PDB file of all heavy atoms in Angstrom:
ATOM      1  N   MET J   1       5.370   0.105  -7.201  1.00  0.00           N
ATOM      2  CA  MET J   1       4.393   1.080  -6.737  1.00  0.00           C
ATOM      3  C   MET J   1       4.496   1.174  -5.213  1.00  0.00           C
ATOM      4  O   MET J   1       4.393   0.191  -4.504  1.00  0.00           O
ATOM      5  CB  MET J   1       2.977   0.636  -7.136  1.00  0.00           C
ATOM      6  CG  MET J   1       1.897   1.648  -6.779  1.00  0.00           C
ATOM      7  SD  MET J   1       2.074   3.184  -7.695  1.00  0.00           S
ATOM      8  CE  MET J   1       1.902   2.581  -9.370  1.00  0.00           C
ATOM      9  N   SER J   2       4.705   2.367  -4.708  1.00  0.00           N
ATOM     10  CA  SER J   2       4.877   2.523  -3.270  1.00  0.00           C
ATOM     11  C   SER J   2       3.527   2.517  -2.575  1.00  0.00           C
ATOM     12  O   SER J   2       2.515   2.952  -3.116  1.00  0.00           O
ATOM     13  CB  SER J   2       5.593   3.848  -2.976  1.00  0.00           C
ATOM     14  OG  SER J   2       4.833   4.945  -3.439  1.00  0.00           O
ATOM     15  N   HIS J   3       3.534   2.012  -1.379  1.00  0.00           N
ATOM     16  CA  HIS J   3       2.326   2.015  -0.552  1.00  0.00           C
ATOM     17  C   HIS J   3       2.332   3.294   0.285  1.00  0.00           C
ATOM     18  O   HIS J   3       3.377   3.758   0.747  1.00  0.00           O
ATOM     19  CB  HIS J   3       2.306   0.806   0.382  1.00  0.00           C
ATOM     20  CG  HIS J   3       2.079  -0.476  -0.357  1.00  0.00           C
ATOM     21  ND1 HIS J   3       2.121  -1.688   0.268  1.00  0.00           N
ATOM     22  CD2 HIS J   3       1.797  -0.730  -1.645  1.00  0.00           C
ATOM     23  CE1 HIS J   3       1.879  -2.638  -0.595  1.00  0.00           C
ATOM     24  NE2 HIS J   3       1.682  -2.071  -1.768  1.00  0.00           N
ATOM     25  N   LEU J   4       1.128   3.829   0.512  1.00  0.00           N
ATOM     26  CA  LEU J   4       0.992   5.038   1.313  1.00  0.00           C
ATOM     27  C   LEU J   4       0.375   4.676   2.650  1.00  0.00           C
ATOM     28  O   LEU J   4      -0.759   4.179   2.708  1.00  0.00           O
ATOM     29  CB  LEU J   4       0.106   6.055   0.583  1.00  0.00           C
ATOM     30  CG  LEU J   4       0.532   6.407  -0.840  1.00  0.00           C
ATOM     31  CD1 LEU J   4      -0.482   7.352  -1.469  1.00  0.00           C
ATOM     32  CD2 LEU J   4       1.914   7.027  -0.830  1.00  0.00           C
ATOM     33  N   ARG J  74      -8.640   7.363   0.631  1.00  0.00           N
ATOM     34  CA  ARG J  74      -8.836   7.125  -0.798  1.00  0.00           C
ATOM     35  C   ARG J  74      -7.692   6.270  -1.339  1.00  0.00           C
ATOM     36  O   ARG J  74      -6.545   6.410  -0.932  1.00  0.00           O
ATOM     37  CB  ARG J  74      -8.916   8.451  -1.554  1.00  0.00           C
ATOM     38  CG  ARG J  74     -10.138   9.282  -1.165  1.00  0.00           C
ATOM     39  CD  ARG J  74     -10.175  10.610  -1.893  1.00  0.00           C
ATOM     40  NE  ARG J  74     -10.561  10.446  -3.292  1.00  0.00           N
ATOM     41  CZ  ARG J  74     -11.817  10.459  -3.734  1.00  0.00           C
ATOM     42  NH1 ARG J  74     -12.827  10.603  -2.874  1.00  0.00           N
ATOM     43  NH2 ARG J  74     -12.084  10.319  -5.011  1.00  0.00           N
ATOM     44  N   GLY J  75      -8.027   5.398  -2.262  1.00  0.00           N
ATOM     45  CA  GLY J  75      -7.043   4.485  -2.825  1.00  0.00           C
ATOM     46  C   GLY J  75      -7.432   3.048  -2.558  1.00  0.00           C
ATOM     47  O   GLY J  75      -8.552   2.742  -2.138  1.00  0.00           O
ATOM     48  N   SER J  76      -6.503   2.145  -2.799  1.00  0.00           N
ATOM     49  CA  SER J  76      -6.727   0.702  -2.684  1.00  0.00           C
ATOM     50  C   SER J  76      -6.143   0.188  -1.370  1.00  0.00           C
ATOM     51  O   SER J  76      -4.919   0.159  -1.195  1.00  0.00           O
ATOM     52  CB  SER J  76      -6.068   0.000  -3.883  1.00  0.00           C
ATOM     53  OG  SER J  76      -6.043  -1.388  -3.714  1.00  0.00           O
ATOM     54  N   ILE J  77      -7.007  -0.211  -0.449  1.00  0.00           N
ATOM     55  CA  ILE J  77      -6.567  -0.667   0.878  1.00  0.00           C
ATOM     56  C   ILE J  77      -6.112  -2.112   0.772  1.00  0.00           C
ATOM     57  O   ILE J  77      -6.881  -3.003   0.426  1.00  0.00           O
ATOM     58  CB  ILE J  77      -7.683  -0.497   1.912  1.00  0.00           C
ATOM     59  CG1 ILE J  77      -8.031   0.985   2.078  1.00  0.00           C
ATOM     60  CG2 ILE J  77      -7.276  -1.112   3.257  1.00  0.00           C
ATOM     61  CD1 ILE J  77      -9.213   1.261   2.985  1.00  0.00           C
ATOM     62  N   ARG J  78      -4.847  -2.352   1.116  1.00  0.00           N
ATOM     63  CA  ARG J  78      -4.227  -3.670   0.958  1.00  0.00           C
ATOM     64  C   ARG J  78      -4.283  -4.516   2.226  1.00  0.00           C
ATOM     65  O   ARG J  78      -4.507  -5.719   2.172  1.00  0.00           O
ATOM     66  CB  ARG J  78      -2.748  -3.490   0.577  1.00  0.00           C
ATOM     67  CG  ARG J  78      -2.485  -2.581  -0.620  1.00  0.00           C
ATOM     68  CD  ARG J  78      -2.996  -3.181  -1.905  1.00  0.00           C
ATOM     69  NE  ARG J  78      -2.572  -4.561  -2.046  1.00  0.00           N
ATOM     70  CZ  ARG J  78      -3.037  -5.378  -2.990  1.00  0.00           C
ATOM     71  NH1 ARG J  78      -3.952  -4.967  -3.838  1.00  0.00           N
ATOM     72  NH2 ARG J  78      -2.614  -6.627  -3.069  1.00  0.00           N
ATOM     73  N   THR J 158     -11.154  -1.817 -15.083  1.00  0.00           N
ATOM     74  CA  THR J 158     -10.050  -1.172 -15.792  1.00  0.00           C
ATOM     75  C   THR J 158     -10.440  -0.888 -17.236  1.00  0.00           C
ATOM     76  O   THR J 158      -9.996   0.108 -17.817  1.00  0.00           O
ATOM     77  CB  THR J 158      -8.796  -2.068 -15.765  1.00  0.00           C
ATOM     78  OG1 THR J 158      -8.327  -2.138 -14.416  1.00  0.00           O
ATOM     79  CG2 THR J 158      -7.682  -1.510 -16.636  1.00  0.00           C
ATOM     80  N   PHE J 202     -12.756  -4.538  -6.009  1.00  0.00           N
ATOM     81  CA  PHE J 202     -12.620  -4.579  -7.453  1.00  0.00           C
ATOM     82  C   PHE J 202     -12.432  -6.019  -7.937  1.00  0.00           C
ATOM     83  O   PHE J 202     -11.537  -6.722  -7.458  1.00  0.00           O
ATOM     84  CB  PHE J 202     -11.422  -3.743  -7.907  1.00  0.00           C
ATOM     85  CG  PHE J 202     -11.687  -2.264  -7.914  1.00  0.00           C
ATOM     86  CD1 PHE J 202     -11.278  -1.467  -6.851  1.00  0.00           C
ATOM     87  CD2 PHE J 202     -12.344  -1.671  -8.982  1.00  0.00           C
ATOM     88  CE1 PHE J 202     -11.526  -0.105  -6.849  1.00  0.00           C
ATOM     89  CE2 PHE J 202     -12.594  -0.308  -8.990  1.00  0.00           C
ATOM     90  CZ  PHE J 202     -12.186   0.473  -7.926  1.00  0.00           C
ATOM     91  N   GLY J 205      -8.966  -7.733  -8.835  1.00  0.00           N
ATOM     92  CA  GLY J 205      -7.986  -6.843  -8.212  1.00  0.00           C
ATOM     93  C   GLY J 205      -7.560  -5.718  -9.114  1.00  0.00           C
ATOM     94  O   GLY J 205      -6.507  -5.120  -8.901  1.00  0.00           O
ATOM     95  N   SER J 206      -8.375  -5.387 -10.141  1.00  0.00           N
ATOM     96  CA  SER J 206      -7.965  -4.451 -11.184  1.00  0.00           C
ATOM     97  C   SER J 206      -8.855  -3.219 -11.207  1.00  0.00           C
ATOM     98  O   SER J 206     -10.081  -3.325 -11.088  1.00  0.00           O
ATOM     99  CB  SER J 206      -8.021  -5.156 -12.550  1.00  0.00           C
ATOM    100  OG  SER J 206      -7.478  -4.356 -13.568  1.00  0.00           O
ATOM    101  N   CYS J 207      -8.248  -2.043 -11.366  1.00  0.00           N
ATOM    102  CA  CYS J 207      -9.019  -0.804 -11.444  1.00  0.00           C
ATOM    103  C   CYS J 207      -8.290   0.206 -12.316  1.00  0.00           C
ATOM    104  O   CYS J 207      -7.090   0.079 -12.576  1.00  0.00           O
ATOM    105  CB  CYS J 207      -9.263  -0.214 -10.062  1.00  0.00           C
ATOM    106  SG  CYS J 207      -7.779   0.473  -9.266  1.00  0.00           S
ATOM    107  N   SER J 208      -9.011   1.205 -12.752  1.00  0.00           N
ATOM    108  CA  SER J 208      -8.430   2.372 -13.417  1.00  0.00           C
ATOM    109  C   SER J 208      -8.481   3.537 -12.441  1.00  0.00           C
ATOM    110  O   SER J 208      -9.171   3.477 -11.408  1.00  0.00           O
ATOM    111  CB  SER J 208      -9.226   2.717 -14.674  1.00  0.00           C
ATOM    112  OG  SER J 208     -10.558   3.085 -14.317  1.00  0.00           O
ATOM    113  N   ALA J 209      -7.793   4.616 -12.760  1.00  0.00           N
ATOM    114  CA  ALA J 209      -7.863   5.813 -11.917  1.00  0.00           C
ATOM    115  C   ALA J 209      -9.298   6.328 -11.869  1.00  0.00           C
ATOM    116  O   ALA J 209      -9.777   6.776 -10.816  1.00  0.00           O
ATOM    117  CB  ALA J 209      -6.917   6.881 -12.452  1.00  0.00           C
ATOM    118  N   LEU J 212     -11.484   3.879  -9.627  1.00  0.00           N
ATOM    119  CA  LEU J 212     -11.101   4.001  -8.220  1.00  0.00           C
ATOM    120  C   LEU J 212     -11.641   5.307  -7.639  1.00  0.00           C
ATOM    121  O   LEU J 212     -12.166   5.331  -6.516  1.00  0.00           O
ATOM    122  CB  LEU J 212      -9.581   3.930  -8.084  1.00  0.00           C
ATOM    123  CG  LEU J 212      -9.000   3.972  -6.667  1.00  0.00           C
ATOM    124  CD1 LEU J 212      -9.606   2.883  -5.784  1.00  0.00           C
ATOM    125  CD2 LEU J 212      -7.478   3.828  -6.716  1.00  0.00           C
ATOM    126  N   ALA J 222     -12.221   1.080  -0.880  1.00  0.00           N
ATOM    127  CA  ALA J 222     -11.802   0.031  -1.819  1.00  0.00           C
ATOM    128  C   ALA J 222     -10.933  -0.978  -1.079  1.00  0.00           C
ATOM    129  O   ALA J 222      -9.778  -0.687  -0.745  1.00  0.00           O
ATOM    130  CB  ALA J 222     -11.046   0.641  -2.992  1.00  0.00           C
ATOM    131  N   GLN J 224      -8.947  -4.383  -0.971  1.00  0.00           N
ATOM    132  CA  GLN J 224      -8.332  -5.450  -1.741  1.00  0.00           C
ATOM    133  C   GLN J 224      -7.811  -6.511  -0.769  1.00  0.00           C
ATOM    134  O   GLN J 224      -8.483  -6.867   0.169  1.00  0.00           O
ATOM    135  CB  GLN J 224      -7.272  -4.873  -2.671  1.00  0.00           C
ATOM    136  CG  GLN J 224      -7.856  -3.838  -3.670  1.00  0.00           C
ATOM    137  CD  GLN J 224      -8.983  -4.386  -4.524  1.00  0.00           C
ATOM    138  OE1 GLN J 224     -10.165  -4.189  -4.230  1.00  0.00           O
ATOM    139  NE2 GLN J 224      -8.641  -5.079  -5.582  1.00  0.00           N
ATOM    140  N   ILE J 297      -2.322   1.747   2.094  1.00  0.00           N
ATOM    141  CA  ILE J 297      -3.077   2.117   0.905  1.00  0.00           C
ATOM    142  C   ILE J 297      -2.151   2.313  -0.282  1.00  0.00           C
ATOM    143  O   ILE J 297      -1.108   2.973  -0.168  1.00  0.00           O
ATOM    144  CB  ILE J 297      -3.901   3.399   1.160  1.00  0.00           C
ATOM    145  CG1 ILE J 297      -4.838   3.178   2.349  1.00  0.00           C
ATOM    146  CG2 ILE J 297      -4.684   3.792  -0.079  1.00  0.00           C
ATOM    147  CD1 ILE J 297      -5.699   4.372   2.699  1.00  0.00           C
ATOM    148  N   ALA J 298      -2.529   1.747  -1.420  1.00  0.00           N
ATOM    149  CA  ALA J 298      -1.816   1.959  -2.673  1.00  0.00           C
ATOM    150  C   ALA J 298      -2.657   2.879  -3.552  1.00  0.00           C
ATOM    151  O   ALA J 298      -3.879   2.967  -3.400  1.00  0.00           O
ATOM    152  CB  ALA J 298      -1.559   0.628  -3.383  1.00  0.00           C
ATOM    153  N   ASP J 299      -2.011   3.547  -4.496  1.00  0.00           N
ATOM    154  CA  ASP J 299      -2.754   4.469  -5.357  1.00  0.00           C
ATOM    155  C   ASP J 299      -3.249   3.794  -6.631  1.00  0.00           C
ATOM    156  O   ASP J 299      -3.792   4.452  -7.521  1.00  0.00           O
ATOM    157  CB  ASP J 299      -1.924   5.710  -5.683  1.00  0.00           C
ATOM    158  CG  ASP J 299      -0.603   5.368  -6.371  1.00  0.00           C
ATOM    159  OD1 ASP J 299      -0.401   4.202  -6.743  1.00  0.00           O
ATOM    160  OD2 ASP J 299       0.230   6.287  -6.528  1.00  0.00           O
ATOM    161  N   THR J 300      -3.077   2.482  -6.737  1.00  0.00           N
ATOM    162  CA  THR J 300      -3.628   1.710  -7.836  1.00  0.00           C
ATOM    163  C   THR J 300      -4.039   0.347  -7.309  1.00  0.00           C
ATOM    164  O   THR J 300      -3.908   0.074  -6.113  1.00  0.00           O
ATOM    165  CB  THR J 300      -2.604   1.573  -8.980  1.00  0.00           C
ATOM    166  OG1 THR J 300      -3.248   0.996 -10.125  1.00  0.00           O
ATOM    167  CG2 THR J 300      -1.429   0.705  -8.562  1.00  0.00           C
ATOM    168  N   CYS J 301      -4.521  -0.522  -8.194  1.00  0.00           N
ATOM    169  CA  CYS J 301      -5.010  -1.832  -7.769  1.00  0.00           C
ATOM    170  C   CYS J 301      -4.180  -2.948  -8.388  1.00  0.00           C
ATOM    171  O   CYS J 301      -3.672  -2.806  -9.502  1.00  0.00           O
ATOM    172  CB  CYS J 301      -6.470  -2.022  -8.188  1.00  0.00           C
ATOM    173  SG  CYS J 301      -7.602  -0.769  -7.566  1.00  0.00           S
ATOM    174  N   TYR J 302      -4.073  -4.051  -7.680  1.00  0.00           N
ATOM    175  CA  TYR J 302      -3.399  -5.243  -8.167  1.00  0.00           C
ATOM    176  C   TYR J 302      -3.766  -6.397  -7.262  1.00  0.00           C
ATOM    177  O   TYR J 302      -4.414  -6.209  -6.231  1.00  0.00           O
ATOM    178  CB  TYR J 302      -1.880  -5.052  -8.226  1.00  0.00           C
ATOM    179  CG  TYR J 302      -1.258  -4.483  -6.970  1.00  0.00           C
ATOM    180  CD1 TYR J 302      -0.815  -5.327  -5.955  1.00  0.00           C
ATOM    181  CD2 TYR J 302      -1.100  -3.103  -6.799  1.00  0.00           C
ATOM    182  CE1 TYR J 302      -0.241  -4.820  -4.804  1.00  0.00           C
ATOM    183  CE2 TYR J 302      -0.529  -2.590  -5.645  1.00  0.00           C
ATOM    184  CZ  TYR J 302      -0.098  -3.443  -4.656  1.00  0.00           C
ATOM    185  OH  TYR J 302       0.466  -2.936  -3.512  1.00  0.00           O
ATOM    186  N   LYS J 305       1.033  -8.097  -6.578  1.00  0.00           N
ATOM    187  CA  LYS J 305       2.114  -7.166  -6.879  1.00  0.00           C
ATOM    188  C   LYS J 305       1.692  -6.280  -8.045  1.00  0.00           C
ATOM    189  O   LYS J 305       0.897  -6.700  -8.896  1.00  0.00           O
ATOM    190  CB  LYS J 305       3.409  -7.906  -7.203  1.00  0.00           C
ATOM    191  CG  LYS J 305       3.322  -8.838  -8.400  1.00  0.00           C
ATOM    192  CD  LYS J 305       4.633  -9.569  -8.614  1.00  0.00           C
ATOM    193  CE  LYS J 305       4.540 -10.510  -9.818  1.00  0.00           C
ATOM    194  NZ  LYS J 305       5.808 -11.244 -10.038  1.00  0.00           N
ATOM    195  N   PRO J 306       2.159  -5.054  -8.081  1.00  0.00           N
ATOM    196  CA  PRO J 306       1.753  -4.131  -9.143  1.00  0.00           C
ATOM    197  C   PRO J 306       1.968  -4.726 -10.530  1.00  0.00           C
ATOM    198  O   PRO J 306       3.001  -5.326 -10.821  1.00  0.00           O
ATOM    199  CB  PRO J 306       2.652  -2.915  -8.910  1.00  0.00           C
ATOM    200  CG  PRO J 306       2.953  -2.951  -7.446  1.00  0.00           C
ATOM    201  CD  PRO J 306       3.075  -4.411  -7.107  1.00  0.00           C
ATOM    202  N   GLY J 307       0.962  -4.578 -11.379  1.00  0.00           N
ATOM    203  CA  GLY J 307       1.054  -5.034 -12.754  1.00  0.00           C
ATOM    204  C   GLY J 307       0.565  -6.444 -12.996  1.00  0.00           C
ATOM    205  O   GLY J 307       0.436  -6.864 -14.147  1.00  0.00           O
ATOM    206  N   THR J 309      -2.303  -7.802 -12.751  1.00  0.00           N
ATOM    207  CA  THR J 309      -3.668  -7.985 -13.255  1.00  0.00           C
ATOM    208  C   THR J 309      -3.776  -7.679 -14.751  1.00  0.00           C
ATOM    209  O   THR J 309      -4.884  -7.739 -15.305  1.00  0.00           O
ATOM    210  CB  THR J 309      -4.662  -7.081 -12.503  1.00  0.00           C
ATOM    211  OG1 THR J 309      -4.325  -5.708 -12.726  1.00  0.00           O
ATOM    212  CG2 THR J 309      -4.643  -7.374 -11.015  1.00  0.00           C
TER     213      THR J 309
END
Side-chain angles (χ1 to χ4, degrees):
M1 184 65 61
S2 61
H3 290 175
L4 306 176
R74 295 178 74 89
S76 170
I77 297 175
R78 308 293 312 170
T158 293
F202 282 98
S206 187
C207 70
S208 63
L212 183 55
Q224 300 303 98
I297 302 180
D299 58 9
T300 189
C301 303
Y302 49 90
K305 60 182 180 181
T309 62

